[in-house]
Structure formats: C-alpha cells, structure tokens
Amino acid sequence: MSLIEINDATYTYPTANRPSIKNLSLKIEEGKFYTIVGKNGSGKSTLCNMIRGFIPNFYKGKLKGEIIFDGKNIEEYSTGELALKIGYIFQNPFNQITGIKDTVFEEVAYGLENFGVEKKEIIRRVNDVMELTDITHLRNANPFGLSGGQQQKVALASIIILNPDVLVIDEPTSQLDPHGTEQVFKIIKKLKEEKKTIILAEHKMDLIIEYTDEVIILDDGKLLNSGDVNSLLSNIDLHNHGCLIPQTGILMAALEKNGINIENKSIKFNDMLNSISKVLKKEEN
Ligand SMILES: Nc1ncnc2c1ncn2[C@@H]1O[C@H](COP(=O)(O)OP(=O)(O)OP(=O)(O)O)[C@@H](O)[C@H]1O
Ligand SMILES: [Mg+2]
C-alpha cells in the first residue's frame, strides 16, 4: 500500500472558475524523495496543500476524487492529527513565522512547547536542529529582522523539530543564494536518510537531479508525467511545458542526437562524466 494515494482528483478554489488540479492520480511511497516541478501557476502549491490535507477541509472549494493517507481518506483526519504526521513548510517563509516570539531560539522551540515537551528536552532539540539548519549564530536574533533566506532556514528548523514522518516543502530555496540552496538540499538528504517521506516543490533542476528520487511534472493543473528523475528530466520536450532542462539532460540529448549512445542513462553530473569518459576511451582504442 502506498503512503499517499490521490485518485482522479479535480479541485477548484472557492473563488476560481476553473480547476487548479485536473484529474490527477498519483501514488507517494513511504521514505522516498519526490520533487514537484512545473511552471508558475501549474499547481505545485495546490498539490502540496492537497497532500497535507488542507484541501478541501481548510481551503474549502470543490474536490472531486479522493486523497488517501495511510489507508484512510484524508478528510477523516483531524487537523491536529495530520499536523503531527505531515510537516509543511510554506512557499513564503514570512507566513510561517509566529509573530509572537522575540528570538529565533524561541521561534524554533514554539511547536514543541505546544506539545508540552519538557524544558531540558526542548533546549537539546532546538540546539540540534539549529546546528543542522546552520542558524545557531542567529539564536538571539528577531525572526522578523532576518533576510528572506535566513527566514527560510528558520521555517525549516521549526518544522523539522516536530519530527513528522512526511515533509511537504514548498519552494524552500526561492530566497537563498546558491550556497544556502545546496545546504537546504543537504538537510533534506539527511531527513531522507532518517526514512522521512519528502515532497518538495522546486525549480532548481541541477540540484533536483543530484538529490531527488522521483519527479512529478505538472502542466496547467494536470499531471504531465511522474517517475524516475533520469528518464524524465533528460526529455528536452519539457521545454514546451515551461520547465527548464538540467544542463546534463541537455548534454545527454545532444550526444544521443549525434549518435553517441551513453550506456548509463543517469544524468547526475558524476555519472555522466564517467559515461562520457568511457566513450572517449573507447574511441581512443
Ligand atoms: N487561493 C486561491 N484561490 C483561487 N485560485 C488560486 C488560489 N491559489 C492558487 N490559485 C490558482 O491555482 C492555480 C495554481 O496555483 P499554484 O499556486 O498551485 O501554482 P504554483 O505551481 O505553485 O505556482 P508558483 O510557481 O507561482 O508558486 C493558478 O492558476 C492560481 O491562480
Ligand atoms: Mg507555488
């Protein structure tokens, strides 16, 4: 059984006159790392909200089809129950900040306080998660005085600390520089190693290739395709659907077009480097 199953879902927001998700079916397996890609407005955030159970209960509107979480219709869970199982990180980190805490330390601790965790344990976990997300130096700063990128890391920390089984993360790197972006992918990789199920909406193809297991490609609310990163993201036809193709995917397509067949179809940077080296060595002999 899949952890999450979306069966033929069509969803229209209350104020909209057309659906934002159309006849979408999808299975999410436990412990895998998925990335949702697609151009602006293709429905990535809407799908994230569907997966975390906020559609239709919180957003209202009209949902046809069903979303099954861990064997039960997601509408049958209470909000509190779901919040313990599924952590959600907003596309805009500003929305995540509570506004009632004066320091980053207190902000990160907030969720645990709500669950009545013992003070000593809270301090230990906050220190650990601040270390993991590289915000230890910001512990006494005011959350609203941070840069967008710093706020994104604080938002991530304040969810990771709750230790949910599933993390739904909506464009967590939009305000981060390349170094911060790579850091976030490394944090997500660690979470995956802890057997978390991860659903990320993201644009940065070159990093998606290196870290993700599967991609979910959306186009105008429809599922264009889903599956293994290597085969899907080397298809240059994706350009026509508003997606960037990773550099290694473009190279792979160009080589194949020129009759050079790469044995290993992986478009991860190092795999491609090895494959190309092999081809070159064969030619030398
Ligand atoms: N609360 C809402 N009410 C009405 N329509 C909405 C709402 N949120 C999103 N939409 C519409 O649903 C469609 C999908 O939007 P969504 O935000 O899911 O796309 P996205 O892929 O996340 O875009 P982006 O890359 O800009 O974050 C868009 O046409 C958008 O205008
Ligand atoms: Mg979005």
Side-chain angles (χ1 to χ4, degrees), residues 28-46:
I28 304 281
E29 308 298 337
E30 198 170 349
K32 273 196 174 179
F33 179 1
Y34 296 82
T35 301
I36 307 170
V37 300
K39 66 180 172 193
N40 292 134
S42 58
K44 300 182 295 297
S45 295
T46 308

Side-chain angles (χ1 to χ4, degrees), residues 23-240:
N23 301 104
L24 185 140
S25 295
L26 188 67
K27 285 189 168 80
I28 304 281
E29 308 298 337
E30 198 170 349
K32 273 196 174 179
F33 179 1
Y34 296 82
T35 301
I36 307 170
V37 300
K39 66 180 172 193
N40 292 134
S42 58
K44 300 182 295 297
S45 295
T46 308
L47 180 57
C48 285
N49 277 308
M50 199 173 253
I51 292 170
R52 74 162 170 145
F54 267 46
I55 282 174
N57 280 355
F58 178 77
Y59 281 94
K60 309 295 177 198
K62 207 168 111 201
L63 175 71
K64 273 195 273 173
E66 57 178 10
I67 302 135
I68 309 291
F69 180 77
D70 209 5
K72 197 165 92 176
N73 193 309
I74 206 155
E75 293 179 59
E76 290 170 26
Y77 290 86
S78 72
T79 314
E81 227 178 328
L82 276 184
L84 283 175
K85 293 174 190 289
I86 308 176
Y88 174 75
I89 291 129
F90 285 84
Q91 178 159 3
N92 180 352
F94 198 77
N95 289 336
Q96 193 116 22
I97 289 174
T98 59
I100 54 170
K101 295 293 180 187
D102 294 331
T103 68
V104 165
F105 184 93
E106 291 170 8
E107 180 72 29
V108 175
Y110 177 75
L112 284 188
E113 280 171 7
N114 277 345
F115 287 112
V117 179
E118 207 184 305
K119 194 164 176 201
K120 231 169 109 185
E121 172 71 3
I122 292 183
I123 294 172
R124 190 186 63 78
R125 278 168 68 178
V126 174
N127 284 335
D128 282 356
V129 84
M130 286 202 307
E131 190 71 40
L132 173 73
T133 51
D134 192 27
I135 55 170
T136 304
H137 59 292
L138 301 172
R139 65 187 295 130
N140 296 319
N142 185 307
F144 283 116
L146 304 176
S147 74
Q150 289 169 329
Q151 282 184 347
Q152 277 182 321
K153 287 187 188 172
V154 172
L156 195 59
S158 59
I159 295 303
I160 292 174
I161 198 161
L162 302 176
N163 198 24
D165 295 333
V166 182
L167 284 127
V168 179
I169 314 175
D170 197 353
E171 293 197 40
T173 70
S174 55
Q175 312 203 30
L176 288 168
D177 55 30
H179 175 66
T181 300
E182 181 111 38
Q183 271 182 324
V184 166
F185 272 89
K186 284 189 173 143
I187 294 165
I188 298 175
K189 188 179 171 198
K190 275 195 202 150
L191 296 171
K192 185 185 132 88
E193 284 161 10
E194 291 172 16
K195 310 276 182 259
K196 307 284 185 202
T197 306
I198 293 146
I199 299 115
L200 171 77
E202 183 56 74
H203 287 288
K204 307 207 170 113
M205 287 296 188
D206 293 327
L207 285 158
I208 294 172
I209 281 293
E210 296 302 321
Y211 289 93
T212 309
D213 299 318
E214 305 237 338
V215 280
I216 295 161
I217 307 170
L218 295 183
D219 186 14
D220 194 25
K222 291 189 285 279
L223 181 71
L224 186 67
N225 218 332
S226 72
D228 173 59
V229 221
N230 287 309
S231 48
L232 292 186
L233 297 186
S234 56
N235 179 357
I236 48 172
D237 182 49
L238 271 184
H239 258 312
N240 301 329

Side-chain angles (χ1 to χ4, degrees), residues 11-22:
Y11 173 71
T12 311
Y13 283 103
T15 55
N17 50 19
R18 58 195 290 271
S20 292
I21 292 289
K22 296 164 195 162

Side-chain angles (χ1 to χ4, degrees), residues 225-284:
N225 218 332
S226 72
D228 173 59
V229 221
N230 287 309
S231 48
L232 292 186
L233 297 186
S234 56
N235 179 357
I236 48 172
D237 182 49
L238 271 184
H239 258 312
N240 301 329
H241 300 277
C243 293
L244 285 173
I245 315 297
Q247 297 294 324
T248 48
I250 295 172
L251 183 59
M252 168 87 90
L255 288 171
E256 295 201 329
K257 201 172 162 203
N258 284 293
I260 301 168
N261 251 313
I262 302 282
E263 278 172 34
N264 178 352
K265 297 285 180 200
S266 171
I267 54 173
K268 286 188 170 49
F269 184 84
N270 280 329
D271 292 348
M272 267 217 91
L273 198 61
N274 285 336
S275 303
I276 293 170
S277 302
K278 266 190 203 155
V279 172
L280 290 176
K281 278 194 188 122
K282 251 191 222 158
E283 288 199 348
E284 267 174 23

